[in-house]
Amino acid sequence: MVTIHRLPDCGNAPRRELLAALVIALAKHDADHVDSVLADDIAWRILGQRILEGRDGVRQWIAATPPVEEVSFGSLLTHGRGASVDGVLVLHDGTRQAFCHVLRFAGAAKTAKVLEADSYLIALPAH
């Protein structure tokens, strides 16, 4: 089970909910949900590590990531075709990792799929 920490917001931005659900799906290794919001030809860059090509590349990355115990959200921002979300993950082994995902959608419609993503993942020192 993954514990989620998120401040309440106005509830008037559908893409913010999509962002939160995407991060939670990544934490829970729910590749089917992640697939549902990605374009077929997604280009997802894990900065300083690798480039994931297509949904299969993203699925492989999800399967290889360590289990997450806790997600603490920072900001969830959306505007037009762009969006970003950041926060901190607590992994199963107790290590902490800051994350930021910057997403570009195929269009501005709320049903548009994620076409490109840049992710910044930074190991944090122990408390």
Side-chain angles (χ1 to χ4, degrees):
M1 178 171 195
V2 177
T3 302
I4 309 298
H5 302 282
R6 181 175 171 198
L7 296 174
D9 59 35
C10 67
N12 195 26
R15 280 233 172 115
R16 290 175 88 180
E17 290 308 313
L18 182 146
L19 288 174
L22 176 60
V23 170
I24 293 166
L26 288 168
K28 292 182 175 182
H29 291 192
D30 183 352
D32 290 335
H33 179 83
V34 174
D35 263 0
S36 74
V37 299
L38 301 181
D40 291 336
D41 57 347
I42 178 77
W44 195 318
R45 291 168 291 277
I46 312 299
L47 282 294
Q49 295 181 26
R50 62 199 291 193
I51 298 173
L52 312 172
E53 295 183 17
R55 289 178 176 177
D56 287 340
V58 175
R59 277 185 171 276
Q60 291 170 10
W61 174 62
I62 292 169
T65 60
V68 174
E69 298 259 328
E70 193 172 325
V71 177
S72 295
F73 284 96
S75 55
L76 294 104
L77 307 171
T78 66
H79 184 73
R81 293 178 150 197
S84 68
V85 55
D86 70 343
V88 174
L89 305 173
V90 177
L91 306 181
H92 185 66
D93 65 3
T95 60
R96 297 171 57 236
Q97 184 178 69
F99 71 89
C100 178
H101 303 300
V102 180
L103 310 174
R104 282 164 295 291
F105 291 84
K110 61 183 170 183
T111 58
K113 303 288 186 180
V114 178
L115 189 58
E116 295 181 347
D118 290 330
S119 291
Y120 303 84
L121 305 171
I122 302 167
L124 296 174
H127 292 316

